[in-house]
Amino acid sequence: MSRADEFEELRPLLFAIAYRILGSVSEAEDAVQDAWLRFESTATEPVSTKAFLSAVVTRISIDVLRSARVRREQYVGTWLPEPLVSDPYDDPARAAELADSVSTAALLLLERLTPLERAVFVLRDVFGYDYPSIASIVGRSEPACRQLAGRARRHMDAGRPRFDADRREREELAARFFDAMREGDVDGLRELLAADVQMIGDGGGKAPQWGTGIYGADNVARVLAANGPLFVHVGVTVELREVNGQPGAVLRDRDGRVVNTLTLDVLGGRIQAIRSVLNPDKLGHVGPVADGFALMREANQVRRSPAG
């Protein structure tokens, strides 16, 4: 098998590691590409290609995350991870666990860890690397890695998101939610929402968003019921998709360009959180991106029109 073939076989795993460390599709793809360039230029043949590439992509991701932290501290508004609409890494025996590990809620918890804690946790608790391998990858002793993993695990366990286990029920609830949103059915929306539901948007200062967020079932239902039919009227369609391993949707304008993505956290048969990524810089990997401000202006014209 050629080096290129070996790399392509491992690419899904390498991307999965990098994305969970970075919370960014574009940065994860860059880290994987850099790992390939280093692998390609290595004169000696690694004893284990998987071990070599796992180490390289993890180290690159740690370095990128350290610099990204500074940018995220200066971010305009709420920062959310770049939406992942298709995880290339597949392990049917651990599908639910892997989906939960890439959920927006889990990635936001990971943001609170140091880059080293985050990398060790991802390698150990998500992908099952042993401590000798992790120690070699991150350049720390095995006892130090165990301590890093322990601290990270305690933090993650304290705030770990929980989701309804039945995937089909979650998807059916999501379908009902988006139908009610399109139809402007405030009562239908309200009955699907947890009393303390939160709706958060990430526009990065480059797209319309809901201020610092909207909270409570009544408020969220009213906002969605008021705006859903308006956007349908101007040609926005709702494409049901799994986003970050959870039920969600990609919203597109009449030309098929991406307006935003929505993810739903579902627990106890109710939606606990709605998170929307509207920042065009975070949507390019999903498809051509719409002009959110132009779409909002069009929707507002419909709202003000007597016929609307």
Side-chain angles (χ1 to χ4, degrees), residues 210-292:
W210 304 299
T212 57
I214 300 172
Y215 303 89
D218 287 341
N219 293 332
V220 171
R222 282 198 298 270
V223 169
L224 290 175
N227 288 281
L230 284 177
F231 284 103
V232 171
H233 190 83
V234 298
V236 173
T237 58
V238 178
E239 175 187 314
L240 297 184
R241 294 288 297 270
E242 186 176 89
V243 182
N244 284 87
Q246 306 304 315
V250 177
L251 275 62
R252 299 182 185 272
D253 69 7
R254 61 170 62 91
D255 297 315
R257 295 173 298 192
V258 179
V259 178
N260 66 317
T261 62
L262 285 167
T263 56
L264 310 178
D265 290 356
V266 179
L267 180 64
R270 293 288 185 272
I271 296 168
Q272 308 291 325
I274 305 165
R275 297 185 179 90
S276 174
V277 176
L278 306 103
N279 185 342
D281 294 344
K282 295 185 175 185
L283 297 172
H285 63 282
V286 183
V289 181
D291 183 338

Side-chain angles (χ1 to χ4, degrees), residues 158-180:
R160 187 181 298 278
R162 294 181 296 124
F163 307 106
D164 282 352
D166 192 306
R167 185 171 181 172
R168 179 175 294 180
E169 288 183 4
R170 286 187 294 171
E171 290 173 350
E172 289 175 352
L173 186 148
R176 291 167 56 201
F177 168 81
F178 287 113
D179 283 344

